[in-house]
Amino acid sequence: MLAVRVLAAVAASAAISTTVAGPLIPPAGSPSPTYKTLQQVEPRGDINAINPLGAFDHPIFVAGSYYLTDNINSSSTYQIGVLTDNIVIDLNGFTIDGQDAAAACILVNFPGGSVTIRNGTLVGSKALAIEVSNPNTTRVVLEDVTVKECVGGVQLGFGGSMLRCLVSGITGNTPAIVGASDVTVRETSVAGINAVGMNLGDRATVQHVRVRSTGGVGILAGTEARIEGATVTDAGDSAIFTGDRANVRDVVVLNPGDRGVSVGARSTVTNAVVDGANATGILTGAGSRIEGSVAENCSADGITAGSDNVIVNCIARGNGDDGIESSGSSVIENCVANFNVDEGIFVGTGSIVRGCTAAQNDSIGILAGFSSNIQSCTVYNNGSHGIQINGDSTVRFCQADNNGRLTSSGAGIRNIGSGTVIDSCGATDNDEGIFAVNDTLVMRCFADGNGTDYLIAPGMPVTPIANLSTAGPFDNIEGF
């Protein structure tokens, strides 16, 4: 019985194999190719073969893909005219040389749509390298394009982008890269520009770019800009300048002719390094945040912030005015401000300064307005006072040492208003230890080695601590 079943299975298998197998004898005749040509896969037009028409050496009227087969040299007209949308141009490694023509190498003139230009060089135009003449043109995309030695740079229209491009030697008064809005520039370098490096409009995205030697602003953007990983060197004006709600992070700015990084209200600046600005290093509008940033050797303030700012983990060093200056209702935390020509840290009314160090500044280490709170700060060897506050403020857990370097009356901690509390602080080796006017509560403090340990307004009872080892439970409270 088993043998019968095996034979039946073998027969069925043979029947199936016979059914699905193809013929073993090849068809008659010679074999013919079955692949498609590149022209069939992606139909492309030879730009060099397009005849001149009107103001254009090579006008493109039909959507599709085009490529160069040779360099283009012309000194009389536009070299290429893109006169319809949905165009892709592969320069194929060749060069379009304007030969000092007073016309753009490539003119883009259509409403809407898009054009992509890649892989080549544009040079020698006495006008723009790429001109967008229709104000409604969108999405001009440049990839691996070099633009050099032209009077003008490139225009991207609305929503355009640049990737791995180089723009250099732009001699005119227009920006090297211009975008209407919503443009993206990535992995691109700009150098040797007579005017602005990039002027990109609102909602621009700029990532991993290098901008060097511009006559104007290095990177100029409108509101809601995102600038990340940029290096800007030797800008003739501000290095980075944006509108409100900007996000600037991981940037390096060296020797700008004006401000280093300047952003509008409600913006963030993170991990920025500014060295040698000819004005303020980092400037923010109201309601902004600066974190992990460094501003040094600037001719004005290192950091200037509007009201309601938060400044965290920053360094301001060797600047020509204040190290860090902020308007009222701001928070300065875990910052260092050293070797500045004026104040180390200067904050307006209702601010908090916490965990900061201010040393070797030529004026006051920390200067705070009314209703401020100074906590856990260290100030030493400043030219004037270590800490100065106005009325209705508190100073707690601070240490002031050896202040008054450039004057004979530098106090470690100085209150010039009423209603202030100085609590658990130390003042040593200053011209004056703790200076306070009327209605100041000084408690749990230690002053020693100063020219005068305590200068308290007349009429305020004071019980100095003569011997801490024998002090009673209330002997460490002084004031009122």
Side-chain angles (χ1 to χ4, degrees), residues 44-79:
R44 302 201 303 169
D46 181 354
I47 294 176
N48 298 79
I50 300 175
N51 293 322
L53 180 65
F56 304 100
D57 279 357
H58 305 285
I60 298 175
F61 293 100
V62 180
S65 295
Y66 296 83
Y67 65 102
L68 290 186
T69 56
D70 199 353
N71 297 324
I72 294 178
N73 301 293
S74 174
S75 60
S76 58
T77 60
Y78 299 104
Q79 282 72 52

Side-chain angles (χ1 to χ4, degrees), residues 311-402:
I311 304 173
V312 182
N313 299 330
C314 291
I315 298 172
R317 187 176 187 275
N319 298 290
D321 204 330
D322 300 328
I324 300 173
E325 179 180 338
S326 181
S327 300
S329 305
S330 295
V331 176
I332 318 293
E333 186 169 14
N334 298 333
C335 292
V336 175
N338 295 344
F339 298 101
N340 300 287
V341 171
D342 208 345
E343 276 78 43
I345 298 174
F346 178 20
V347 294
T349 299
S351 295
I352 297 173
V353 183
R354 183 167 49 220
C356 294
T357 298
Q360 300 280 357
N361 302 287
D362 287 350
S363 187
I364 300 171
I366 298 175
L367 174 61
F370 289 96
S371 304
S372 293
N373 189 333
I374 315 298
Q375 302 176 18
S376 305
C377 292
T378 300
V379 290
Y380 63 91
N381 208 28
N382 294 288
S384 183
H385 313 299
I387 297 173
Q388 178 173 302
I389 64 275
N390 281 293
D392 303 319
S393 299
T394 60
V395 182
R396 286 190 170 95
F397 311 115
C398 293
Q399 177 64 37
D401 181 66
N402 200 34

Side-chain angles (χ1 to χ4, degrees), residues 101 124-129 148-153 169-175 194:
S125 171
K126 280 191 174 180
L128 292 163
K148 61 182 181 179
E149 299 169 11
C150 295
V151 171
I170 304 301
T171 60
N173 294 321
T174 60
N194 185 60

